[in-house]
């Protein structure tokens, strides 16, 4: 039996998604309510010099991070405020701090991301935010008023090491704020594609609150976000500095009502995933038998899970379009579907487009005339496998 990464108690299998190019199964720890992968590659193998995901590819994410920086930091900052962002990627968030004249440091292990941020003139450190580097970071940058992370903490296998590192660099009245894909939304939408090698955990509020009991930090507030198909922002202070907000207390109750502490809930989720696999596979095989041309939109990390779990290769989906130059010319991991530009996808005259970047759909529909106006039909994969009626889009 796999042990929980935090409490080392036994976990229960939720769903085995099969052998993935990297990750495979997920388990649930009913001791600390942590939904987690059984196996995950070392972070040094994932966040490499060629890491190809860049936050700034999405206009709505740029807007989101501007709002995040302003509301959580800039509005209350003084001339001495110091901010650390972990997993700062291409510097989308840092740029807002930079322009506001705030003292900051971005930290990221991916050289490709650091290069982009540095070429934009941003202050960054190339490496991991962990206990190994914390003394260096503390002596070179000093203590922080804010430690911020977005879509990064759920990527860190050793959470206790991470929280200890935060504790060492956070001022006494400092604040840790991070936001990650939210388990409640994943269960509601059946968006099992959130489960892949980089997402070691999918957090609930209950789980974050519980893990922090093992540290000198405490969850004091939460704010739900629409990004990445539903995320949760966690606001954390040193234990005893502030009380828990009313909405946090309410959310803890709601999650218990939803059964986010119970294995049974995850068994139901696994059944939903199986049903969605069958529906997707049946649809694609039917379209193939009808000689339809099917392509994909967005070579997302998430799509790796769907394609491998549902056994979808290039005989079912001809190509996937993506706006990231670093991804174009490559193939989807394990399923070998060519990743091409959106222009190339259009030239294939597709009959159907599978929307893998479903979390950016609102932005895509506005900017992509082809998706909106061509005869090609859009296949939605979240919440249900369905062919969209474009007149309602
Ligand atoms: P997107 C990544 O996941 C990895 P992914 C990581 N583990 C994580 O947690 C989240 O991000 C934050 C393309 N695209 O954002 C760009 C278009 O082609 O859903 C991307 O390749 N046209 C750190 O990869 C992909 O789609 C567009 O208009 O699942 C979107 O990837 C837009 C907006 C995007 O994250
Ligand atoms: Zn546990």
């Amino acid at each position: 039996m796999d042990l929980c990464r935090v409490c080392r108690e036994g976990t229960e299998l939720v769903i085995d998604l099969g052998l993935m190019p990297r990750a495979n199964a997920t388990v649930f720890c009913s001791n600390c309510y942590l939904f987690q992968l059984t196996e995950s590659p070392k972070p040094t193998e994932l966040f490499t010099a060629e890491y190809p995901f860049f936050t700034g590819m999405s206009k709505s994410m740029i807007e989101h991070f501007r709002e995040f920086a302003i509301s959580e930091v800039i509005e209350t900052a003084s001339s001495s405020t110091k901010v650390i962002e972990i997993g700062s990627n291409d510097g989308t968030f840092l740029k807002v701090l930079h322009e506001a004249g705030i003292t900051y440091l971005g930290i990221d292990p991916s050289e490709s991301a650091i290069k982009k941020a540095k070429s934009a003139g941003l202050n960054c450190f190339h490496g991991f935010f962990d206990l190994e580097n914390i003394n260096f970071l503390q002596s070179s940058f000093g203590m922080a008023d804010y430690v911020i992370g977005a879509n990064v903490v759920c990527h860190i296998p050793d959470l206790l090491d991470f929280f200890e590192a935060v504790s060492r660099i956070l001022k006494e009245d400092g604040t840790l704020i991070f936001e990650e894909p939210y388990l409640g939304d994943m269960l509601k939408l059946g968006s099992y594609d959130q489960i892949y090698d980089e997402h070691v955990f999918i957090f609930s509020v209950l789980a974050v609150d519980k893990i922090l009991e093992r540290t000198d930090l405490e969850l004091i507030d939460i704010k739900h976000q629409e990004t990445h198909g539903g995320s949760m922002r966690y606001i954390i202070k040193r234990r005893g500095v502030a009380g828990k907000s009313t909405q946090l207390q309410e959310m803890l109750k709601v999650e218990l009502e939803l059964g986010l502490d119970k294995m049974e809930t995850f068994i139901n989720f696994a059944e939903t995933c199986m049903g969605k696999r069958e529906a997707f596979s049946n649809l694609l095989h039917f379209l193939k038998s009808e000689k339809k041309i099917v392509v994909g939109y967005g070579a997302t990390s998430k799509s790796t899970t769907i394609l491998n779990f549902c056994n979808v290769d290039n005989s079912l989906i001809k190509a996937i379009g993506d706006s990231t130059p670093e991804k174009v010319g490559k193939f989807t991991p394990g399923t070998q579907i060519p990743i091409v530009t959106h222009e190339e996808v259009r030239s294939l005259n597709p009959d159907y487009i599978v929307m893998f970047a479903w979390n950016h759909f609102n932005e895509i529909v506005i900017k992509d005339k082809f998706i909106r106006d061509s005869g090609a039909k859009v296949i939605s994969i979240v919440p249900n496998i369905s062919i969209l009626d474009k007149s309602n889009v």
Side-chain angles (χ1 to χ4, degrees):
M1 183 192 283
D2 293 283
L3 300 182
C4 170
R5 281 185 178 74
V6 171
C7 69
R8 314 307 298 163
E9 293 277 324
T11 51
E12 290 173 84
L13 182 70
V14 173
I15 185 166
D16 186 345
L17 294 166
L19 262 187
M20 289 280 156
R22 274 167 172 159
N24 45 51
T26 57
V27 293
F28 177 65
C29 171
S30 15
N31 190 40
C32 40
Y33 313 139
L34 256 180
F35 186 89
Q36 53 197 294
L37 296 179
T38 49
E39 287 165 51
S40 53
K42 290 196 195 87
T44 45
E45 290 169 23
L46 291 175
F47 307 108
T48 60
E50 278 90 41
Y51 189 67
F53 173 78
F54 303 108
T55 309
M57 293 311 297
S58 155
K59 284 208 174 66
S60 52
M61 290 311 293
I62 296 175
E63 200 32 57
H64 171 77
F65 282 113
R66 168 165 298 280
E67 194 278 328
F68 185 170
I70 293 172
S71 64
E72 301 290 359
V73 178
I74 296 170
E75 271 175 5
T76 49
S78 71
S79 58
S80 65
T81 298
K82 285 187 163 192
V83 185
I84 288 179
E85 191 200 0
I86 54 161
S88 50
N89 197 263
D90 57 8
T92 300
F93 179 85
L94 300 180
K95 195 164 172 278
V96 192
L97 299 181
H98 187 86
E99 285 166 3
I102 307 268
T103 308
Y104 67 88
L105 175 69
I107 301 168
D108 202 289
S110 312
E111 209 179 311
S112 48
I114 285 282
K115 266 192 197 151
K116 284 206 197 261
K118 282 202 169 153
S119 67
L122 302 169
N123 186 30
C124 304
F125 167 76
H126 177 217
F128 285 95
F129 179 88
D130 55 16
L131 281 178
E132 213 178 303
N133 283 329
I134 205 68
N135 289 343
F136 169 75
L137 291 170
Q138 206 198 74
S139 57
S140 53
F141 182 73
M143 298 292 278
D145 295 275
Y146 292 95
V147 174
I148 308 277
N151 306 303
V152 62
V153 179
C154 74
H155 298 63
I156 302 175
D158 194 344
L159 287 178
L160 295 178
D161 175 283
F162 167 72
F163 287 123
E164 174 66 26
V166 171
S167 186
R168 297 249 198 113
I169 207 157
L170 201 61
K171 287 185 186 167
E172 270 314 299
D173 59 349
T175 314
L176 164 65
I177 307 177
F178 63 86
E179 60 181 41
E180 314 290 317
Y182 176 52
L183 186 69
D185 288 308
M186 185 182 88
L187 297 186
K188 191 169 78 190
L189 300 174
S191 49
Y192 69 87
D193 54 347
Q194 293 289 5
I195 305 166
Y196 55 89
D197 54 4
E198 294 175 19
H199 288 175
V200 187
F201 306 101
I202 309 284
F203 294 129
S204 62
V205 178
L206 279 169
V208 171
D209 189 52
K210 198 127 199 244
I211 304 157
L212 287 168
E213 284 173 9
R214 295 170 179 268
T215 72
D216 67 344
L217 303 168
E218 185 181 5
L219 182 61
I220 59 155
D221 200 9
I222 43 127
K223 291 176 189 167
H224 187 262
Q225 308 293 318
E226 293 305 321
T227 46
H228 288 295
S231 300
M232 192 63 80
R233 183 176 294 169
Y234 302 93
I235 305 186
I236 292 149
K237 290 265 195 194
R238 276 190 202 281
R239 186 169 304 285
V241 169
K244 284 185 164 23
S245 73
T246 316
Q247 57 176 357
L248 166 58
Q249 293 176 38
E250 281 303 313
M251 188 51 108
L252 289 168
K253 279 191 213 142
V254 168
E255 288 195 350
L256 288 175
E257 278 159 25
L258 288 173
L260 297 198
D261 58 332
K262 287 196 186 66
M263 185 58 196
E264 183 189 317
T265 310
F266 298 95
I267 293 172
N268 292 338
F269 168 71
E271 271 170 25
T272 306
C273 299
M274 298 298 188
K276 289 185 79 168
R277 166 162 75 175
E278 207 187 330
F280 192 46
S281 173
N282 288 348
L283 176 61
L284 292 180
H285 280 98
F286 170 72
L287 295 176
K288 185 182 174 182
S289 72
E290 295 280 298
K291 308 240 172 330
K292 300 292 185 198
I293 298 174
V294 183
V295 298
Y297 194 107
T300 60
S301 314
K302 296 185 289 294
S303 67
T304 305
T305 300
I306 300 199
L307 296 171
N308 285 279
F309 181 52
C310 304
N311 284 320
V312 175
D313 60 12
N314 54 25
S315 71
L316 296 171
I317 293 185
K318 207 162 175 186
I320 298 186
D322 199 284
S323 56
T324 317
E326 287 82 351
K327 292 188 183 180
V328 169
K330 308 247 168 63
F331 294 84
T332 56
T335 47
Q336 301 298 317
I337 301 171
I339 304 172
V340 300
T341 61
H342 292 299
E343 290 71 37
E344 283 173 86
V345 159
R346 281 171 214 143
S347 69
L348 294 171
N349 286 324
D351 299 299
Y352 291 85
I353 305 171
V354 181
M355 184 47 62
F356 288 114
W358 55 270
N359 45 311
H360 299 294
F361 191 50
N362 292 344
E363 171 178 345
I364 291 166
V365 156
I366 292 168
K367 77 178 170 201
D368 197 310
K369 211 171 162 312
F370 185 77
I371 291 271
R372 221 177 40 237
D373 301 336
S374 78
K377 297 189 170 71
V378 173
I379 298 177
S380 142
I381 51 174
V382 171
N384 300 309
I385 309 293
S386 62
I387 296 166
L388 286 188
D389 176 358
K390 282 212 238 170
S391 58
N392 291 335
V393 166

